Amino acid sequence: NGDITFGNQNKLRQIIKDNNITGNSKIPCTANIHKRDDNSPQLEEQEREWYHSTIMRIMFIATRSRAFDLLMIVSVLATRVKDCREEDRQHLMKLLKYINYTIDYNMTFKRDSKIILEGYSDASFSCYEDCKGHSAFAIFVTNVGAAVMIKSNKQQLIALSSMESELMATNDCYK
């Protein structure tokens, strides 16, 4: 019929299978994902390698498909691969259960649809321990409700206010 559907169900299913995930979660992360618990024990070498590998596999998919629901969380968790802790492993397990719950989600563009683009940006001010913020933006085909371009990353500079952090996020959209 000429419709175009995007999804990476096979790769996601392989990640779920490789990690023996059986449970589900309707939400991808807890509200405290930006906070670090210094008392949380560091992961052993083998678990750190698993964590790094799993995060990068999800990142690869998140940047190439229905990423808007995965990218922010996996971006935050990716900043912790050098110093991953038990709490980070728990965040990753929750994300994997969310992926298991949403595994059949995809984006479909109807052949006869008129394309209307809308862009949004947002920022979290001083949410990391080094006082840097987090930027994200998404460009949507509004009549389809699908994100066609997204980006989520830690800000490179320290903003002095939430407004400055928001302006840095908007600026990131144009790079």
Side-chain angles (χ1 to χ4, degrees):
N1 65 2
D3 294 351
I4 300 171
T5 300
F6 294 93
N8 274 311
Q9 285 83 3
N10 291 338
K11 289 181 181 171
L12 290 170
R13 279 190 179 86
Q14 189 61 51
I15 292 172
I16 295 304
K17 180 181 174 187
D18 291 349
N19 290 286
N20 300 316
I21 303 299
T22 56
N24 294 313
S25 176
K26 292 184 179 183
I27 57 172
C29 67
T30 58
N32 65 348
I33 192 164
H34 287 291
K35 306 286 187 218
R36 291 296 305 264
D37 178 5
D38 291 333
N39 296 323
S40 181
Q42 287 191 323
L43 298 180
E44 298 293 326
E45 180 66 28
Q46 186 176 6
E47 282 192 309
R48 284 197 311 266
E49 289 175 12
W50 164 82
Y51 178 88
H52 190 173
S53 172
T54 305
I55 289 293
M56 292 304 115
R57 289 173 71 190
I58 297 169
M59 180 77 78
F60 178 84
I61 295 167
T63 58
R64 288 161 177 80
S65 66
R66 59 170 191 115
F68 63 90
D69 60 339
L70 305 176
L71 191 59
M72 188 283 293
I73 296 113
V74 78
S75 293
V76 170
L77 295 177
T79 66
R80 301 175 180 173
V81 295
K82 291 183 180 175
D83 181 31
C84 45
R85 299 174 178 265
E86 175 59 27
E87 69 170 335
D88 301 318
R89 189 191 68 74
Q90 291 173 6
H91 285 304
L92 178 54
M93 293 304 292
K94 185 164 190 72
L95 179 60
L96 289 167
K97 289 177 181 181
Y98 173 77
I99 290 170
N100 196 33
Y101 179 75
T102 62
I103 201 139
D104 292 318
Y105 287 15
N106 57 42
M107 294 187 294
T108 300
F109 296 94
K110 301 288 183 185
R111 180 178 163 210
D112 57 353
S113 297
K114 181 179 178 183
I115 295 177
I116 302 168
L117 298 176
E118 246 179 53
Y120 298 91
S121 66
D122 196 15
S124 294
F125 170 62
S126 190
C127 59
Y128 291 100
E129 289 179 0
D130 61 3
C131 295
K132 291 182 180 177
H134 196 93
S135 294
F137 77 87
I139 297 174
F140 290 87
V141 177
T142 57
N143 52 326
V144 178
V148 293
M149 183 175 180
I150 58 169
K151 184 177 179 183
S152 176
N153 61 291
K154 185 174 179 178
Q155 292 177 344
Q156 298 299 307
L157 303 173
I158 298 173
L160 300 177
S161 68
S162 59
M163 181 63 183
E164 187 176 13
S165 187
E166 295 285 349
L167 289 171
M168 289 166 64
T170 304
N171 184 56
D172 284 346
C173 292
Y174 296 100
K175 291 182 180 178

